[in-house]
Structure formats: C-alpha cells, structure tokens
Amino acid sequence: MSDTRFQSDEWKIIETRFEPSRARDSESIFALGNGMMGQRANFEETYSGDTLQGSYVAGVYYPDKTVVGWWKIGYPEYFAKVPNAPSWIGIKIRIDGEELDLAKCTLRSFRRELDMKQGLLTRSFTVVMPSGRVAEVSAKRFLSMHEPEKAAISYSVRITGGAGTVEIIPWLSADVYNEDANYDEKFWENESSASDGDRAVVVAQTRKTAFVVATAMENVFTRNGRKAGEKTAITTTDKTAHCTFSATYADGDTFNVTKYAAVLSSFNHPLEGLAEKAMATAGEAAKKGFEAMLADHRRAWEKKWEHGDIVIRGDIAAQQGIRFNIFQLNQTYTGEDPRLNIGPKGFTGEKYGGSTYWDTEAFAFPFYLSTADTHVARNLLLYRYKHLGKAIENAGKLGFTAGAALYPMVTMNGEECHNEWEITFEEIHRNGAIAYAIYNYVRHTGDQDYLAEYGLEVLIAISRFWAQRATFSQEKHQYVILGVTGPNEYENNVNNNWYTNTLARWTLRYTCEMLDWLKDTSLVKYNSVISRTQLDTQCELSLWKEIIDNIYLPVHHDLGIFLQQDGFMDKVQQTVNDLDPAVRPLNQHWSWDRILRSVFIKQADVLQGIYFFEEEFSEEAIRRNFDFYEPRCVHESSLSASIHSVLAARLHDTERAYTLYLRTARLDLDDYNHEVKDGLHITSMAGTWLAIVEGFGGMRICNDRVCFNPAIPAAWESYSFIIRYRNNPFRVEVNGTKVNVVNLSGADIPLAVYGEQVTLKPGEEKRFGKQ
C-alpha cells in the first residue's frame, strides 16, 4: 500500500501537508539532479526546524580520515565523502522585519509537487506571520538537464492583511558542513566571495583534495508582474553573498525573484578565472530567461522518457513507483563523463559518501545498457578500466603480486576507501561483478573491440587475483577460497561462499575463452594484449584452467541445493515466518553476534549467482534453491527484493514476483526500511527496472538474439518498455497473453518471443501469442 502522504499519480509525486517530523524524508524524495550536480529539497526560505541541508557536485570529494578502533594492515587511510557544497538555493524573506520560517509561522496550506515528466519541483503554501500578515508563496525549481551547470528558481510571495515593508534576500553560502564528518571537521577552506554589481559568487576549496567550486547567482525582481524599480544591494563576506531587495508593499502585492545559479568546479574547468566564469554562466542563464531555460530542460527530459519510460496500465502505485525510480536514475547519471560513476544515494544524501560500490555493475549497469546510447554503458566500464592501476595497487597492499587486481568495494578515484574489515578485505566478490559487466556489455552491444582495447586487461588482472586468492586444499583435493563475505553481509569470514567461488570460476573461464577468441580473430591484437599485461600464457593459463576444473562449490546433495557456504546447515534452520515482527529489522534489534550466528540472509547470495548464470541451471534446480533461500531472506538490503522478483517471475510465480516488485519499486516512496531521511536508494532503483524487464518481461540475451518470455501480474492491464539492443531501440508491449513488438530502429533485430524466433525488419510490428 502506498504512503498516504503522497497522492497517487502516474507522473507526479504530490505532498499536500507538511510534517516537520518527516521533513528530511521529503527532502530526499523531492531531490533534484542532472548528472553534474544535485540538490536535496531543502526550502529556499529560512527553516529553523530539523533538516539535512544538501547540495552536491559530481566528482568532488573529501578524504575523511578513517575512524577505526584497531588498525589493520591494508586499511585505507580515509573514507571518501561527498561534501555538502556551497548552498545556492537560499532566499530569505522578511515581512515587516519578521522572518518567514515554516517552523515559527502558522501554516494554513501546503503543497509540494515533483513533476517527473519535466523534472520540475513546485511548492506552494500559505502562512500567517506572527504579526498577522498572510503570505502566499509559490516556488518553482529545476536543475537544467540541458545545461547541467545551471539551475533556476522562480519564487513569488503575495502579502495580504495591510501594508508594510518586505525584504527579499537571495543568498549564497560556503559556510556549510557535513553531518557524516568523522571528526566534525568542515570539508571546505579558503572561502571567498566577489561581486560585479549584478552578480555574486562564492568560491570554496576542499581541504586535502583541493577541488574548487564556484557558485554564482544573478537575480531578477518583479512586483505584480512588472520589473521592480527598487535597487538591490549585494554584500559579501568571506563565505557568503547576499543580494538585498527592499520595498514597501500594499495589501495584495505580489513580489517575485527569479534566481539564476551556476555551479562550476575545477573538476571540469581550469582554476584560473573560475569565479569569473561562474558569474558569466549565471549571467547567460539570466539573459536566456526562466521559461526558455525550462523549455530546453523539458525537451532534454522528453528525450530521456522517449526511450526510457515504462508504461503500466491499471496500477497507479506500480506506475508511479517505476517512473520515480527511472527519474532518479536519470538524474544521477547521464553517462557523458567516464570519470563519474553512481553512488548508492546519488545526489540525495550524504550516506555512503557518494562513492561507487559493486552496485553499479551488478544492478545499475543493465538499466543504462538497455535504455541509453552505447557510449553510456561503455563509459561506466571505462571508469573501471581507468582505475585498473589503482586496483593493482589495492591488491598489492594486501599482499597480491604480478599484476593481480582487487577493485575497491568503495571508491571515488580507484583507491579503496572503506574501513570495515569484513568488507574491505573479504567482500571480494565485487571483482566478479566487474568482470560480469564486461561480458554483459559485449553480448548486448556486440562491441568486441572493447575487449581487445580495454576489457581483457581488466579480466586478466582480476583472474590473476582469483588465482592467487584460491588455495589448494589437501583434504578436499580441490581449490578453496577462504575467509570471505558474500553478498549476504549477515555472514562474515566464511569459507567457500558458493557465489564467490562460482564467480571466480566463471571469470577465469570467460577470460580464457576471450583470449582464445581474440587469438583466432586477430593475432596482432592478441599479441598486444599479451605484451601489455605480460601474461605468461603457459604457466598462468595452465593454473587458471586447473582451478576452473577443480574449484570447490559446496552443495547439499539431499536437499539438492547449493550451500551458501561451508557450515551453513550447522545453523538452526528457521524461516522469516518464525521471527517476531517486533524484532525487524534485525540489524536494529539483534546484536551483531546473534545475527552472524543466525540463518537469516540479508539479501540474495546464492540466488544472486543463479540470477547471473541462470542458463547453467535447470528450472527445477532454480526452484529448489529459491524455495529454500527466499524464506530465510529478511530483505534488509535495498538490493534484495529485485533479484528475488526476477527469479520468482522466472519460476512463473507472478504474484510473488509482483509483491516483491512493489517492495523494490516503492522502497523509498513508502519508506519500507525507515531510512529515506538519509537519501534515496539509487542503485537499488535499477533493480526495479530489472524486475519488470527481466522479471515480468523475461528478457534474456540468447546466442545473439533478444529473447522474451513475458508474464503479467493480475493487477495490471498491460505494460510496455523500450529496449536498445546493439543500439537499436524497439518497444515491447504485454497485454494479457499477447505480446506486441515494434522495431523503432533502422536495422534488423533478431528476436525470440515465447520461443518463436523472428527477425524484425526496420519499422516492422509483430504480435506474438503464448502457446
């Protein structure tokens, strides 16, 4: 059931009352971004109540010194944090000397609306000031998707109840801090400000990393729709800039300020002249005007929705959920810069430091691979390729040699920056997710050149890591991998996690296969890869093949399931139904010791491996494992429900798949985990897309053909989505037992629907029926 705070709407998130106790929740839900910067939905006017102020700039980070009780060799020196950047949204309102503050005024009405179709946030409210004057406020805000260093706010206030004086003061401030600072330090220094009379700018530099951000504004004031005649005064301090507009008002007068902002960083621009360029950029925005900027912004969103929308008929809650997820994914990452990646919270909060996790490759990558131009997914892979040297350094710190690479669990620049030992040292399965993303990219795009130019270097370095991380067990006469943490983080320091061992074997095998393919295809390119990596094709490949043939994969023969790890059946076997709901979530009610000894699973682990390599298992084997592990999963990771939904749909349990889909689709809107105040779950939002396209749609890539085996939940009349295969878009619509496919591209598309194989010609439309 959807949260009653938000009205049901296919394209909008609508809030019709303000609840101070949930202000932070709404700041996350209504956050805006454009791939280059982001802004929580903090109020423009002063708000003295509880709030998490958040303005974020892509690529800018701060290395917050690690906090740890017992230092261990190999620990990173810092945990990367995305700094709360200088604030650009502020507009102070004073009426007869009284400051407008929703924490202190009497609120008569309130409405906030996020229009996802055009990326526009609007808010309107009416308050009674302590003096008795009534202020009716309306505000519009957007971060330009067309010109992503620009943003604009249109803010109006109508005053009734008499005549008096009003002050409208747009401001900028670098006097900001992060709540998640390990040592309560500010992340910024060397703040300064300047003005040229019409515009103002504040400039701040991050400590240690020396990123510089210049935030500028130009403001236009009107009274009752006409340009105001009163002059403004710009004042500055080291950390702030204020533009003060003062006027007398008559009963019913309406004042508006349009605030044009520019946010530029040294990540993208030369340091010299950055402040002047920021002011000039704000001036360009003001010259263009609010409506013209908004029109360009709308057109940019139209293009994203044109090939990225999912349409669901008959279920508004499901429709609203998927569009909210797609909207936030597109706000977070546009794929135009291979230096950038996707943080679990995107631009919506401080938690997880804005860093990159394995979530990108395992969950988010397929969304961008299938909904955007090929270069977007390629840039996600290039991000990892450019960090290969750092990944080799990371492995070296842990004792690995000869070009072995361990990609970081958490990173901004390729260095590991996570300081929990069970994750930093043991959650090594992230290496396998990166290898799998390369495979996923090549089979979807047909971009074999990527392997020769970049991909095989990464695969070889990861394979070297697996070869050194595996140990030959004299007792088992097989290779084992000891002391790991799998995706189920409610288990630490286990031996022979089935998922990790399976990924290691697959990576070694895939690397060998791709080397053989390249050798047969182009000896020149093959020799270049061997030369660049100094691969010993005799000794190293022999060892890899020995591990492939002899790696230990734990199974329970009586139950016919893969064991999550050695000793899993030693635990007291319970299911989630045995738990008292009052102790959920476990991580907020049980000691860590009790959680580790329990059978309960945080998220898909064995089932994550089955999801990746489904074609290797029979439907009956998938069913046995699903029926065993899903009842033991508490879904206390935001990444969990989507994978379970895909597999439930694969097993024709459409209603269970639907229940799990709603959990992932409305995870943040309905705040299932009671943590949306910290920011949205951006990477798990991609799992919502997986649940529809790969789950209900049954999409798979089978021998260079796009295959579908669709089903439809009982609550839906129909659903449709658009997929890019080899960069060629086509639409799939599912209506009952009928499936309609339209080729929107200029190339042939090889398809199979319910097993019927066809080649769809450009512009061709074909209907399929389930036999």
Side-chain angles (χ1 to χ4, degrees):
M1 181 178 294
S2 62
D3 192 323
T4 55
R5 288 198 306 139
F6 305 127
Q7 292 184 359
S8 295
D9 191 282
E10 294 184 350
W11 277 107
K12 296 177 180 179
I13 310 299
I14 301 170
E15 183 180 49
T16 58
R17 64 181 185 274
F18 175 54
E19 299 179 43
S21 64
R22 305 186 75 174
R24 292 191 181 215
D25 299 359
S26 293
E27 289 170 356
S28 298
I29 294 291
F30 292 92
L32 295 177
N34 62 15
M36 192 171 287
M37 60 177 172
Q39 174 65 52
R40 283 174 63 84
N42 310 121
F43 297 157
E44 289 89 358
E45 70 279 352
T46 298
Y47 180 63
S48 58
D50 182 51
T51 179
L52 174 62
Q53 296 291 312
S55 179
Y56 310 107
V57 180
V60 175
Y61 69 94
Y62 175 80
D64 205 9
K65 186 179 178 182
T66 292
V67 173
V68 63
W70 176 27
W71 191 267
K72 300 175 180 65
I73 298 298
Y75 261 162
E77 296 288 334
Y78 66 91
F79 194 113
K81 301 287 177 67
V82 54
N84 177 22
S87 178
W88 60 270
I89 65 169
I91 301 174
K92 190 175 296 186
I93 306 293
R94 292 196 187 107
I95 300 174
D96 301 324
E98 297 175 345
E99 193 154 346
L100 178 58
D101 180 346
L102 291 192
K104 297 178 179 178
C105 300
T106 302
L107 192 62
R108 282 187 177 175
S109 65
F110 182 92
R111 181 182 177 91
R112 180 159 35 187
E113 182 178 296
L114 176 62
D115 185 331
M116 298 179 288
K117 193 169 189 177
Q118 56 181 332
L120 181 66
L121 177 63
T122 61
R123 185 167 58 102
S124 60
F125 61 88
T126 301
V127 295
V128 180
M129 303 294 289
S131 66
R133 296 290 191 263
V134 176
E136 301 171 38
V137 173
S138 63
K140 299 178 182 179
R141 179 195 303 178
F142 67 94
L143 279 63
S144 177
M145 191 64 78
H146 177 66
E147 300 173 285
E149 291 178 321
K150 299 176 182 177
I153 297 170
S154 176
Y155 191 97
S156 296
V157 55
R158 180 174 182 265
I159 308 169
T160 58
T165 60
V166 63
E167 290 180 287
I168 303 175
I169 309 172
W171 54 267
L172 307 171
S173 178
D175 189 16
V176 294
Y177 65 94
N178 274 56
E179 287 192 354
D180 66 349
N182 285 341
Y183 293 93
D184 296 324
E185 297 175 319
K186 286 195 172 183
F187 295 168
W188 299 94
E189 62 182 357
N190 299 330
E191 300 93 342
S192 64
S193 63
S195 170
D196 64 3
D198 295 317
R199 307 169 193 94
V201 64
V202 296
V203 181
Q205 176 178 295
T206 56
R207 300 175 61 207
K208 301 180 184 178
T209 46
F211 289 108
V212 176
V213 172
T215 306
M217 68 175 174
E218 180 170 340
N219 304 284
V220 177
F221 297 88
T222 64
R223 178 205 293 260
N224 299 325
R226 297 181 179 180
K227 187 174 181 179
E230 291 83 357
K231 291 185 177 180
T232 59
I234 297 179
T235 57
T236 60
T237 68
D238 286 347
K239 298 181 180 181
T240 65
H242 294 77
C243 177
T244 301
F245 169 87
S246 301
T248 59
Y249 67 86
D251 193 352
D253 276 352
T254 298
F255 296 88
N256 175 271
V257 57
T258 304
K259 184 176 186 179
Y260 300 96
V263 180
L264 277 63
S265 78
S266 58
F267 186 76
N268 296 307
H269 297 278
L271 185 58
E272 185 177 355
L274 187 64
E276 292 78 9
K277 186 171 180 60
M279 284 197 288
T281 303
E284 291 168 5
K287 184 176 180 180
K288 189 170 188 177
F290 187 89
E291 291 302 328
M293 281 184 66
L294 181 57
D296 286 342
H297 173 70
R298 285 174 176 144
R299 282 189 286 270
W301 269 110
E302 282 175 10
K303 290 180 181 178
K304 290 190 176 296
W305 286 116
E306 182 181 355
H307 283 168
D309 191 18
I310 291 180
V311 180
I312 299 171
R313 302 296 183 199
D315 189 341
I316 291 180
Q319 177 69 87
Q320 185 181 45
I322 186 59
R323 282 194 173 131
F324 181 69
N325 286 267
I326 292 171
F327 175 73
Q328 294 295 348
L329 285 162
N330 281 316
Q331 288 201 130
T332 301
Y333 183 77
T334 60
E336 301 307 318
D337 190 336
R339 298 173 300 167
L340 300 177
N341 209 276
I342 304 158
K345 296 295 182 186
F347 294 119
T348 69
E350 299 175 3
K351 193 173 181 181
Y352 301 121
S355 299
T356 297
Y357 283 62
W358 74 293
D359 306 18
T360 291
E361 285 77 19
F363 293 88
F365 188 76
F367 169 79
Y368 298 99
L369 181 61
S370 294
T371 64
D373 187 85
T374 298
H375 78 275
V376 173
R378 202 175 207 261
N379 279 343
L380 282 172
L381 294 183
L382 285 174
Y383 176 88
R384 295 295 193 180
Y385 175 78
K386 291 175 182 294
H387 289 170
L388 178 57
K390 289 289 187 182
I392 292 172
E393 286 182 20
N394 293 335
K397 292 175 183 178
L398 302 185
F400 296 89
T401 61
L406 176 59
Y407 276 91
M409 186 64 178
V410 177
T411 193
M412 281 288 195
N413 66 354
E415 294 178 312
E416 177 65 73
C417 58
H418 196 287
N419 56 15
E420 295 178 18
W421 65 270
E422 67 272 23
I423 291 176
T424 305
F425 300 150
E426 294 194 341
E427 212 161 324
I428 56 176
H429 64 80
R430 72 255 195 176
N431 253 12
I434 292 166
Y436 187 83
I438 294 172
Y439 158 75
N440 217 5
Y441 171 78
V442 172
R443 66 174 179 159
H444 273 79
T445 66
D447 184 6
Q448 303 280 9
D449 289 341
Y450 183 83
L451 280 169
E453 294 174 16
Y454 309 107
L456 269 166
E457 286 185 56
V458 174
L459 290 170
I460 288 168
I462 291 174
S463 292
R464 284 170 163 162
F465 172 83
W466 289 127
Q468 293 180 40
R469 189 61 168 78
T471 304
F472 186 76
S473 166
Q474 294 293 338
E475 181 174 320
K476 289 183 169 63
H477 299 290
Q478 287 181 286
Y479 285 90
V480 297
I481 299 180
L482 309 176
V484 303
T485 298
N488 174 26
E489 292 171 339
Y490 286 175
E491 294 268 20
N492 300 149
N493 199 34
V494 302
N495 295 333
N496 297 309
N497 172 255
W498 182 87
Y499 173 73
T500 302
N501 288 19
T502 297
L503 268 179
R505 181 184 65 171
W506 177 86
T507 303
L508 290 166
R509 186 173 63 207
Y510 180 60
T511 305
C512 290
E513 290 173 353
M514 291 304 98
L515 282 167
D516 289 342
W517 164 82
L518 186 59
K519 188 175 183 180
D520 292 341
T521 303
S522 172
L523 194 57
V524 171
K525 292 181 179 179
Y526 172 81
N527 287 333
S528 176
V529 170
I530 300 304
S531 175
R532 295 198 306 268
T533 60
Q534 295 296 296
L535 180 68
D536 185 332
T537 56
Q538 293 297 317
C539 295
E540 288 191 85
L541 295 186
S542 294
L543 174 60
W544 296 359
K545 290 173 182 176
E546 183 180 343
I547 295 172
I548 292 167
D549 292 338
N550 295 285
I551 197 165
Y552 171 66
L553 300 172
V555 299
H556 192 292
H557 294 288
D558 291 342
L559 294 175
I561 61 169
F562 308 119
L563 279 182
Q564 186 171 280
Q565 72 266 340
D566 284 349
F568 186 79
M569 296 305 295
D570 293 335
K571 295 171 175 284
V572 176
Q573 294 300 312
Q574 298 175 293
T575 67
V576 173
N577 289 337
D578 297 320
L579 287 171
D580 181 347
V583 303
R584 302 284 303 279
L586 297 183
N587 57 24
Q588 296 178 24
H589 295 87
W590 282 10
S591 69
W592 193 240
D593 168 73
R594 186 176 183 184
I595 289 174
L596 292 177
R597 288 186 289 107
S598 80
V599 76
F600 297 112
I601 300 166
K602 183 181 180 184
Q603 68 187 80
D605 193 303
V606 167
L607 297 182
Q608 183 75 40
I610 289 176
Y611 162 73
F612 275 162
F613 308 115
E614 175 192 298
E615 68 276 5
E616 298 183 13
F617 312 111
S618 67
E619 182 173 316
E620 186 51 41
I622 297 172
R623 186 180 305 280
R624 286 196 302 269
N625 281 277
F626 186 89
D627 288 347
F628 180 81
Y629 285 109
E630 197 280 331
R632 290 161 172 77
C633 184
V634 289
H635 298 296
E636 289 174 10
S637 164
S638 65
L639 301 173
S640 184
S642 60
I643 298 304
H644 286 81
S645 180
V646 172
L647 291 178
R650 167 67 176 82
L651 295 171
H652 317 293
D653 190 346
T654 306
E655 291 315 301
R656 180 149 55 164
Y658 174 72
T659 299
L660 289 161
Y661 162 78
L662 279 184
R663 182 182 177 94
T664 185
R666 300 192 62 89
L667 177 73
D668 290 316
L669 289 176
D670 295 344
D671 198 11
Y672 276 99
N673 292 344
H674 308 294
E675 58 184 12
V676 76
K677 64 181 182 295
D678 297 324
L680 305 178
H681 296 83
I682 301 298
T683 48
S684 79
M685 287 177 168
T688 307
W689 182 90
L690 291 173
I692 292 180
V693 175
E694 296 186 3
F696 302 127
M699 189 189 87
R700 305 291 187 271
I701 305 299
C702 321
N703 300 319
D704 295 325
R705 187 177 294 273
V706 196
C707 302
F708 296 92
N709 188 32
I712 186 168
W716 297 0
E717 296 171 7
S718 67
Y719 64 98
S720 65
F721 52 83
I722 295 175
I723 293 296
R724 284 178 178 265
Y725 178 67
R726 308 288 161 95
N727 221 25
N728 299 308
F730 61 96
R731 179 186 292 109
V732 177
E733 182 175 0
V734 181
N735 188 342
T737 58
K738 300 294 184 181
V739 179
N740 199 59
V741 185
V742 183
N743 187 346
L744 304 174
S745 77
D748 291 352
I749 296 178
L751 294 173
V753 180
Y754 296 133
E756 180 183 349
Q757 294 190 6
V758 299
T759 298
L760 213 58
K761 301 296 182 184
E764 184 180 357
E765 181 173 350
K766 184 172 177 58
R767 183 175 292 273
F768 301 83
K770 192 170 186 179
Q771 303 299 318

